[in-house]
C-alpha cells in the first residue's frame, strides 16, 4: 500500500485497471471526475461512481469498454460512438434522448443519467488522461491505474454493483457477508 | 450566501409536517454551521426555558448540521447536536461519513427535528422530496441490519420512482441501534456501522423521538463557492501534506493502544485505577497483522484513511466486525476492562457498535461496574448472575446487552456512569462518585491528565463546555491554540482534525474566504462566533435541568481519581495538583469573562450582543451558586 507509481503515458488505447479491494472509499475519483467534466464537485454527475452497498466494500463503478460495446449497439439514436485512439465510449449529447436503452444493454449497468441534463453519462477516459486514476495514484491507493489496453477479459469487470459488493463482502467478511447485504 | 444552499429542513414529528426554513445571513457569517449555528438557533428558541426542557422529551430539538467546509475540506463530517441527555447542556458531536455531503448535495444546509412521532419512523430525503416513512421494518434491528435494510428499501424506492436513470447508489444514513431506541443515555448516532456521533447521547434523543434513521440522497452539486480554483488548490495542498504522514495513514489512531498505555501513561486501565500498561500484545501492529481485513478506509475526500476494518474470521468471536478499532475503543473496551488482545477488543467493539452504544461512555460504565464488583459493592446477584471480573470479555458483552435493552441492572447503568453512580449510591448507601471519571455527566475520553505527557490538560475537561469530551478540551490562555474556541471552529466549519495536522493555522481563513468570499480572521472568530458559542453553551450547561444541575464551585473540577497518584508505570506518583487546578479555573473564569460563580458576566454578553442569553441567566445571578 501507498506506493506511488508514475501514471504511464501511452499513445494507443488505454484502460483503467481496477483493483477493488484496494479502494479506500475516499471518492476522490468522483471528485476529480466531476471537477474535470462539470467544473464542480458533483458526485452524482461523476462518470465513475463509488458504491458502498456494504460498508468496507467500496468500489469504483465505471465503464470497462467491452470489446463488443453492447451499449453502442443498443442505442437507436446513434448517440454513442467509440473513440478509436482511446477506446472510450463517447456520448453525443445532442442525440442522446436519455431513453436508458444503453443502461439496459450494459452487463454491469454502469451508465446513468446526468441528474440535471438527463443525458447519459459514460466514462470517456478524459480523452486519454483519466483524472480518477491520477488522484488514486497520488494517494497511493493504487485501486485505479492507467495501463495500455491489451486484448484481455475486460468484460469480467462489467458486473452489476450488487454482484461486486457481494463478492467483496464475502472476501472480507466470510460467511457473515450473507447477513450484511 | 456562497458556500451554502440557503435553506434548512425543519421536521416536526408530532404533526408529521416539514418545511424549508432559512436563518438570517448574519447568523451564517457569525456561526458558520455545525455546532455553533445549532447552538445559536437552539438558544434563540429554547434558552429562556432551558431548565424545563427534558432532553428526552418532544420539545428538545435535534440538529443534523454539516458546515460550509463539509464536502470541500477533505474528510466529510456532520455535527449532531441538541440538548444533551448526558450533560443537560449542548454537545456538538461530529460524525464522519457521507451524510453531510449528500445533504448539501440535496440542497440543504442542515436538518432540525422536533416533536415525537407516534410510531417509529425514518426520514427519507431525496433532494427536495422529503418523506416520513414507517420504520417498523427496521425498529429493533441492530446497526448492521439497519444499514442493510435501509439500503435495500431506499434503493428499491428510488428505482421505482425514477426508472431508466440507471442503478442508484446507496443513500447516506444516520441511524440508531437498540440502545438509542430505549433511550439509553450513552447511545450514539451511527453512520456506516462503526462511525458515531458519540458524546452527548443523541442516539437516545433520536429514540425519544421515535426516529430510527435519516437517509439522504442528494443528486445536485455541492453549493457554489466563491473561488473554486483556490478551493481545489487548497484541497490538493491538504492532501499532499496528509500523504506525507506515512505512519499516521497506516495506523490511524490505533497506535495509541500501546503509546498512551506504555509511553505517555494516560490510558484508562481497569477503570482508571491505573493509566499504564506495557502490553506489546496491544500494539497496533498486532491489530494490523491479526485482524485487519481492510488497511485503508476513508470518508468522502479523505486522504488520511485513519480508519481500517477488522474482522474476526475464525474461532470463538468469528463474525465480529468493527473499524480500526480506533484508539478510544481500543482503550475503553480493552485495558479499561483488563483486556489486552486484539481479538477480544474487536469482539467487544463489534457488540457495542451493533447495539448502538457509545464505545467511550459504554466502556466507562462497564469499567465502573467492574470496579464496583472488584470492591464487592456490586455482587453477582446484583448483576443477574454475571461474574464481572477484569478481562472477562464475555461477561462484559453480556452486560452491554443488558444495558442496551435495559434489563435488570442494565436499566440503571443505562443512565450513564454519573447518574448510575448516584442511583446505585443511594441503593447501597455509599458515595460511588469517587469511582466515576466524568465531567458534567460525560465520561472523560481516554486521555488522562495525571502523567502530564498526553495532549490533555489539567483544566481541559473541568472548564470545557462539553465536559468529558476529549475532542473539545480547553486550556489557558483562552485566546491560545489550545482553547476550546478552536474546537468550536472545527465542529462548526465542520472539519476533521485528522487531516489537518500539517496545514498552517491561517489555512482555515483562506479556505473560508475561498468558499464564501467573506473575510474571517483569528481575532474575528475569537471575539465573534467562537466566543459567542462558548458563552451560549456555558449558559446552557449552567441552566441544566431538569434532572441534574451543575454547581460550578464543585463541578468545574476534575474527577477525584485524577488527584490520586498514579500507582504504576513510568509516571508513578504523579497526579493533578488541586491547588493549581483551582487557580487555573479561576484564571479561566477571568479570561472567559465569567464571574466568580462561573456565570458569564452581563457586560461581556452585552458586548457580544447576547442580551437574551444574559436575560436567561438572571435566575442564576439571583441565587449565587456557592
Amino acid at each position: 500500500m501507498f506506493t506511488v507509481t508514475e501514471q504511464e503515458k501511452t499513445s494507443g488505447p488505454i484502460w483503467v485497471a481496477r483493483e477493488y479491494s484496494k479502494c479506500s472509499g475516499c471518492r476522490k475519483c468522483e471528485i476529480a471526475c466531476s471537477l474535470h467534466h462539470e467544473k464542480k464537485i458533483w458526485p452524482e454527475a461523476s462518470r465513475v461512481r463509488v458504491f458502498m452497498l456494504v460498508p468496507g466494500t467500496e468500489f469504483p463503478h465505471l465503464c470497462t469498454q467491452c470489446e463488443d460495446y453492447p451499449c453502442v449497439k443498443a442505442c437507436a439514436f446513434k448517440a454513442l460512438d467509440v473513440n478509436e485512439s482511446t477506446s472510450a465510449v463517447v456520448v453525443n449529447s445532442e442525440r442522446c434522448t436519455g431513453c436508458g436503452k444503453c443502461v439496459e444493454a450494459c452487463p454491469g449497468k454502469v451508465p446513468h443519467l446526468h441528474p440535471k441534463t438527463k443525458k447519459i453519462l459514460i466514462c470517456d477516459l478524459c480523452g486519454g488522461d483519466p483524472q480518477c486514476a491520477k488522484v488514486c495514484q497520488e494517494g497511493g491507493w493504487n485501486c485505479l491505474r492507467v495501463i495500455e489496453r491489451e486484448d484481455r477479459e475486460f468484460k469480467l469487470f462489467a458486473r452489476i454493483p450488487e454482484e461486486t459488493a457481494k463478492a467483496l463482502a464475502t472476501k472480507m467478511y466470510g460467511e457473515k457477508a450473507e447477513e450484511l447485504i | 450566501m456562497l458556500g451554502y444552499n440557503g435553506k434548512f429542513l425543519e421536521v416536526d414529528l408530532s404533526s408529521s409536517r416539514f418545511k424549508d426554513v432559512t436563518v438570517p445571513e448574519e447568523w451564517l457569517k457569525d456561526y458558520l454551521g455545525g455546532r455553533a449555528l445549532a447552538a445559536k438557533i437552539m438558544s434563540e428558541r429554547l434558552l429562556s426555558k432551558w431548565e424545563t426542557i427534558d432532553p428526552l422529551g418532544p420539545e428538545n430539538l435535534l440538529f443534523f448540521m454539516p458546515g460550509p467546509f463539509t464536502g470541500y475540506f477533505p474528510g466529510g463530517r456532520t455535527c449532531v447536536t441538541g440538548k444533551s441527555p448526558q450533560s443537560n447542556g449542548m454537545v456538538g458531536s461530529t460524525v464522519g461519513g457521507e451524510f453531510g455531503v449528500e445533504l448539501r448535495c440535496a440542497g440543504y444546509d442542515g436538518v432540525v427535528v422536533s416533536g415525537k412521532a407516534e410510531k417509529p419512523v425514518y426520514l427519507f430525503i431525496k433532494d427536495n422530496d422529503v418523506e416520513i416513512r414507517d420504520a417498523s421494518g427496521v425498529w429493533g434491528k441492530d446497526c448492521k441490519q439497519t444499514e442493510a435494510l435501509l439500503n435495500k428499501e431506499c434503493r428499491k424506492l428510488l428505482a421505482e420512482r425514477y426508472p431508466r436513470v440507471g442503478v442508484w447508489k446507496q443513500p447516506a444514513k444516520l441511524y440508531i441501534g437498540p440502545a438509542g431506541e430505549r433511550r439509553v443515555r450513552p447511545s450514539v448516532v451511527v453512520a456506516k456501522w462503526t462511525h458515531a456521533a458519540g458524546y452527548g447521547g443523541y442516539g437516545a434523543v433520536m429514540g425519544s423521538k421515535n426516529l430510527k434513521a435519516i437517509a439522504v440522497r442528494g443528486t445536485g452539486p455541492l453549493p457554489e463557492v466563491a473561488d473554486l480554483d483556490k478551493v481545489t488548490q487548497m484541497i490538493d495542498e491538504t492532501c499532499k501534506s496528509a500523504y506525507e504522514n506515512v505512519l499516521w495513514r497506516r495506523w490511524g489512531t490505533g497506535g495509541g493502544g500501546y503509546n498512551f498505555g506504555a509511553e505517555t501513561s494516560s490510558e484508562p486501565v481497569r477503570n482508571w485505577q491505573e493509566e499504564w500498561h506495557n502490553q506489546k500484545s496491544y500494539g497496533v501492529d498486532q491489530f494490523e497483522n491479526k485482524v485487519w481485513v481492510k488497511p485503508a478506509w476513508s470518508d468522502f475526500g479523505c486522504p488520511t484513511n485513519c480508519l481500517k476494518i477488522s474482522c474476526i474470521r475464525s474461532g470463538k468471536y468469528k463474525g465480529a466486525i468493527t473499524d480500526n478499532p480506533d484508539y478510544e475503543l481500543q482503550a475503553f473496551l480493552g485495558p479499561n476492562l483488563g483486556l489486552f488482545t486484539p481479538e477480544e477488543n474487536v469482539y467487544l467493539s463489534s457488540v457495542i457498535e451493533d447495539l448502538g452504544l457509545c464505545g467511550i461512555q459504554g466502556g466507562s460504565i462497564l469499567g465502573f461496574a467492574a470496579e464496583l464488583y472488584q470492591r464487592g459493592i456490586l455482587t453477582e446477584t446484583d448483576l443477574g448472575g454475571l461474574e464481572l471480573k477484569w478481562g472477562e470479555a464475555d461477561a462484559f458483552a453480556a452486560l452491554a446487552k443488558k444495558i442496551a435493552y435495559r434489563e435488570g441492572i442494565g436499566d440503571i447503568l443505562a443512565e450513564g456512569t454519573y447518574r448510575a453512580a448516584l442511583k446505585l449510591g443511594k441503593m447501597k448507601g455509599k458515595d460511588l462518585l469517587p469511582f466515576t471519571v466524568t465531567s458534567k455527566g460525560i465520561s472523560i475520553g481516554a486521555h488522562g491528565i495525571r502523567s502530564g505527557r498526553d495532549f490533555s490538560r489539567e483544566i481541559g475537561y473541568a472548564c470545557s463546555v462539553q465536559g468529558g469530551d476529549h475532542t473539545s478540551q480547553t486550556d489557558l490562555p483562552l485566546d491560545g491554540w489550545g482553547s476550546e474556541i478552536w474546537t468550536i471552529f472545527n465542529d462548526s466549519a465542520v472539519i476533521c482534525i485528522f487531516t489537518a495536522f500539517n496545514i498552517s493555522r491561517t489555512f482555515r481563513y483562506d479556505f473560508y474566504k475561498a468558499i464564501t468570499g467573506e473575510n474571517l480572521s483569528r481575532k474575528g472568530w475569537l471575539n465573534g462566533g467562537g466566543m459567542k458559542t462558548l458563552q451560549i453553551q456555558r449558559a446552557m450547561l449552567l441552566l441544566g435541568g431538569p434532572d441534574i444541575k451543575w454547581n460550578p464551585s464543585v463541578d468545574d473540577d476534575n474527577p477525584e481519581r485524577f488527584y490520586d497518584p498514579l500507582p504504576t508505570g513510568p509516571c508513578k506518583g504523579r497526579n493533578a495538583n488541586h491547588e493549581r487546578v483551582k487557580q487555573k479555573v479561576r484564571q479561566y473564569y477571568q479570561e472567559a469573562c465569567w464571574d466568580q460563580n462561573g456565570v458569564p458576566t452581563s457586560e461581556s454578553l452585552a458586548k457580544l450582543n447576547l442580551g437574551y442569553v444574559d436575560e436567561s441567566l438572571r435566575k442564576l445571578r439571583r441565587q449565587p451558586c456557592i
Side-chain angles (χ1 to χ4, degrees):
Chain A
M1 202 177 81
F2 305 147
T3 46
V4 182
T5 39
E6 198 62 33
Q7 185 145 331
E8 286 161 38
K9 298 274 179 209
T10 60
S11 49
I14 57 169
W15 192 61
V16 179
R18 54 212 78 178
E19 202 172 330
Y20 295 148
S21 56
K22 289 188 173 171
C23 176
S24 75
C26 74
R27 295 157 175 87
K28 287 182 89 64
C29 52
E30 289 182 350
I31 295 171
C33 180
S34 61
L35 277 171
H36 179 77
H37 290 96
E38 309 283 339
K39 310 287 171 249
K40 287 183 167 93
I41 294 184
W42 194 347
E44 191 68 8
S46 168
R47 279 72 174 160
V48 50
R49 293 187 298 161
V50 176
F51 277 77
M52 189 196 74
L53 301 184
V54 178
T57 69
E58 292 84 351
F59 61 91
H61 194 50
L62 73 163
C63 177
T64 187
Q65 295 94 29
C66 304
E67 302 85 277
D68 54 346
Y69 293 96
C71 55
V72 178
K73 287 180 192 160
C75 182
F77 305 95
K78 298 199 180 335
L80 302 183
D81 207 351
V82 180
N83 179 309
E84 276 179 22
S85 82
T86 61
S87 80
V89 176
V90 184
V91 181
N92 181 332
S93 293
E94 276 168 27
R95 288 190 183 162
C96 176
T97 64
C99 70
K101 285 284 177 216
C102 55
V103 184
E104 273 174 47
C106 175
K109 303 281 174 283
V110 177
H112 67 290
L113 291 190
H114 188 289
K116 191 154 178 233
T117 67
K118 307 294 176 198
K119 307 285 183 184
I120 206 71
L121 292 173
I122 300 178
C123 168
D124 65 357
L125 292 168
C126 296
D129 186 18
Q131 299 301 300
C132 54
K134 196 180 267 178
V135 287
C136 191
Q137 289 297 319
E138 274 171 12
W141 289 287
N142 207 21
C143 169
L144 296 177
R145 178 182 175 189
V146 177
I147 59 170
E148 224 168 292
R149 188 177 170 90
E150 303 162 62
D151 189 15
R152 302 295 308 195
E153 309 80 351
F154 295 131
K155 213 169 176 176
L156 286 176
F157 286 93
R159 290 186 196 276
I160 59 170
E162 288 78 1
E163 206 181 342
T164 306
K166 195 169 178 184
L168 289 169
T170 307
K171 180 178 178 177
M172 283 177 72
Y173 305 128
E175 290 162 25
K176 179 86 179 173
E178 289 292 331
E179 299 166 34
L180 304 173
I181 298 173
Chain B
M1 187 169 159
L2 286 168
Y4 294 87
N5 287 298
K7 68 179 199 286
F8 295 79
L9 175 65
E10 178 153 5
V11 183
D12 175 39
L13 291 174
S14 297
S15 62
S16 301
R17 290 204 180 143
F18 43 83
K19 59 181 179 201
D20 292 352
V21 293
T22 54
V23 302
E25 199 170 297
E26 311 88 77
W27 291 14
L28 298 181
K29 285 184 188 164
D30 259 5
Y31 298 91
L32 313 184
R35 170 175 167 183
L37 186 59
K40 173 65 176 171
I41 298 171
M42 181 69 124
S43 67
E44 290 275 349
R45 297 213 195 161
L46 295 180
L47 192 66
S48 60
K49 49 177 176 177
W50 190 258
E51 62 277 25
T52 67
I53 304 288
D54 177 3
L56 300 177
E59 289 161 296
N60 194 7
L61 299 175
L62 182 58
F63 295 82
F64 300 87
M65 303 280 274
F69 285 27
T70 304
Y72 286 107
F73 192 84
R77 283 188 92 80
T78 305
C79 181
V80 181
T81 187
K83 183 166 180 178
S84 162
Q86 291 168 1
S87 74
N88 291 341
M90 201 168 171
V91 176
S93 200
T94 71
V95 56
E98 286 66 42
F99 184 89
V101 182
E102 288 270 358
L103 191 66
R104 271 158 69 75
C105 289
Y108 289 106
D109 293 323
V111 181
V112 188
V113 180
S114 63
K116 179 190 177 180
E118 223 168 88
K119 286 179 185 163
V121 295
Y122 76 93
L123 206 61
F124 183 37
I125 303 167
K126 192 268 171 187
D127 300 323
N128 284 323
D129 297 332
V130 180
E131 197 184 343
I132 299 171
R133 293 184 58 84
D134 173 30
S136 52
V138 281
W139 196 258
K141 302 293 183 193
D142 73 27
C143 289
K144 292 199 177 87
Q145 294 165 330
T146 303
E147 170 84 34
L149 289 168
L150 285 178
N151 270 352
K152 249 186 223 165
E153 185 166 316
C154 295
R155 290 182 71 230
K156 189 164 167 253
L157 281 174
L158 289 165
E160 284 165 8
R161 290 175 186 177
Y162 309 93
R164 290 198 309 279
V165 305
V167 179
W168 281 94
K169 283 210 290 195
Q170 71 291 336
K173 300 167 292 301
L174 292 177
Y175 44 84
I176 56 172
E181 293 174 9
R182 284 163 185 77
R183 306 173 182 205
V184 171
R185 288 185 199 254
S187 60
V188 296
V189 177
V190 181
K192 298 161 89 164
W193 296 346
T194 61
H195 302 12
Y199 286 115
Y202 297 108
V205 178
M206 277 181 82
S208 75
K209 298 191 173 305
N210 264 334
L211 179 64
K212 176 72 178 180
I214 303 184
V216 55
R217 222 30 281 279
T219 67
L222 283 172
E224 195 189 335
V225 296
D227 185 347
L228 185 66
D229 288 340
K230 179 79 180 164
V231 170
T232 52
Q233 178 213 321
M234 294 187 83
I235 292 173
D236 282 350
E237 250 176 69
T238 311
C239 291
K240 288 208 171 95
S241 79
Y243 294 149
E244 284 164 19
N245 245 338
V246 177
L247 279 186
W248 176 245
R249 288 187 85 201
R250 176 165 160 188
W251 285 339
T253 65
Y258 179 73
N259 176 35
F260 296 117
E263 284 155 28
T264 68
S265 185
S266 52
E267 178 166 358
V269 178
R270 295 176 194 88
N271 196 37
W272 299 94
Q273 294 181 86
E274 298 164 74
E275 294 183 24
W276 176 76
H277 70 79
N278 197 18
Q279 301 289 333
K280 280 199 174 168
S281 61
Y282 221 58
V284 68
D285 60 317
Q286 293 296 300
F287 282 80
E288 182 179 30
N289 295 336
K290 287 180 165 181
V291 291
W292 286 6
V293 291
K294 191 180 185 84
W297 198 28
S298 292
D299 292 324
F300 191 83
C302 174
T304 303
N305 53 240
C306 74
L307 296 168
K308 324 291 165 191
I309 294 183
S310 294
C311 175
I312 308 286
R313 295 287 301 263
S314 61
K316 192 174 167 190
Y317 300 127
K318 185 173 157 180
I321 301 169
T322 181
D323 55 2
N324 210 343
D326 73 317
Y327 164 62
E328 293 294 320
L329 267 70
Q330 269 189 19
F332 272 103
L333 304 174
N336 182 53
L337 306 178
L339 290 159
F340 296 94
T341 74
E343 290 85 351
E344 289 167 315
N345 180 239
V346 168
Y347 166 64
L348 263 187
S349 300
S350 180
V351 168
I352 291 269
E353 285 167 352
D354 288 356
L355 294 167
L357 274 173
C358 177
I360 297 175
Q361 307 299 306
S364 156
I365 298 163
L366 296 176
F368 168 70
E371 186 175 344
L372 296 188
Y373 182 80
Q374 170 201 313
R375 294 177 186 277
I377 299 169
L378 277 184
T379 63
E380 236 176 282
T381 320
D382 291 326
L383 292 163
L386 290 177
E387 274 190 77
L388 204 63
K389 287 185 194 151
W390 299 116
E392 292 290 330
D394 293 343
F396 286 115
L399 187 58
K401 284 174 194 160
K402 281 180 191 284
I403 293 170
Y405 289 96
R406 286 188 175 272
E407 287 164 3
I409 188 139
D411 193 35
I412 296 173
L413 299 176
E415 293 299 294
T417 307
Y418 183 84
R419 285 172 176 82
L422 296 182
K423 280 198 175 182
L424 288 171
K426 255 188 200 164
M427 286 163 61
K428 300 282 179 187
K430 280 195 175 89
D431 178 13
L432 300 183
L433 286 177
F435 310 121
T436 65
V437 179
T438 63
S439 180
K440 311 288 186 325
I442 296 178
S443 295
I444 287 174
H447 297 276
I449 61 172
R450 285 186 273 186
S451 74
R453 288 186 179 182
D454 205 331
F455 72 83
S456 43
R457 296 284 168 260
E458 267 184 329
I459 58 161
Y461 303 107
C463 289
S464 165
V465 294
Q466 303 203 154
D469 181 348
H470 74 284
T471 67
S472 192
Q473 286 193 49
T474 196
D475 200 11
L476 290 166
L478 192 68
D479 62 0
W481 287 104
S483 104
E484 197 170 12
I485 303 269
W486 297 108
T487 75
I488 294 173
F489 183 92
N490 297 340
D491 296 344
S492 307
V494 174
I495 61 169
C496 177
I497 50 171
F498 289 171
T499 53
F501 287 132
N502 294 355
I503 57 175
S504 77
R505 283 169 175 170
T506 54
F507 185 94
R508 67 193 84 207
Y509 317 122
D510 298 339
F511 203 78
Y512 178 78
K513 168 105 183 169
I515 289 199
T516 63
E518 300 287 330
N519 288 312
L520 183 69
S521 65
R522 178 172 179 271
K523 227 176 169 181
W525 180 252
L526 277 171
N527 300 326
M531 186 58 84
K532 288 181 187 184
T533 308
L534 188 84
Q535 304 298 24
I536 291 171
Q537 282 193 281
R538 176 70 178 177
M540 290 166 167
L541 199 57
L542 293 178
L543 289 164
D547 71 330
I548 286 172
K549 286 191 183 209
W550 308 110
N551 177 353
S553 67
V554 176
D555 297 310
D556 286 348
D557 201 348
N558 288 304
E560 274 186 53
R561 187 143 280 172
F562 283 176
Y563 296 111
D564 294 339
L566 287 172
T568 51
C571 302
K572 187 175 167 179
R574 282 200 206 167
N575 59 355
N577 179 314
H578 213 154
E579 271 317 303
R580 201 168 55 219
V581 167
K582 279 185 183 163
Q583 196 192 334
K584 281 186 179 177
V585 169
R586 279 195 297 273
Q587 176 69 25
Y588 194 85
Y589 279 14
Q590 267 185 15
E591 294 192 15
C593 301
W594 298 347
D595 65 20
Q596 66 211 24
N597 297 323
V599 183
T601 63
S602 299
E603 300 79 56
S604 69
L605 293 173
K607 249 190 236 167
L608 293 168
N609 212 6
L610 293 176
Y612 71 102
V613 176
D614 186 34
E615 191 72 25
S616 66
L617 286 172
R618 269 193 194 169
K619 45 204 151 197
L620 292 184
R621 297 190 202 288
R622 278 203 299 271
Q623 319 158 323
C625 24
I626 300 272

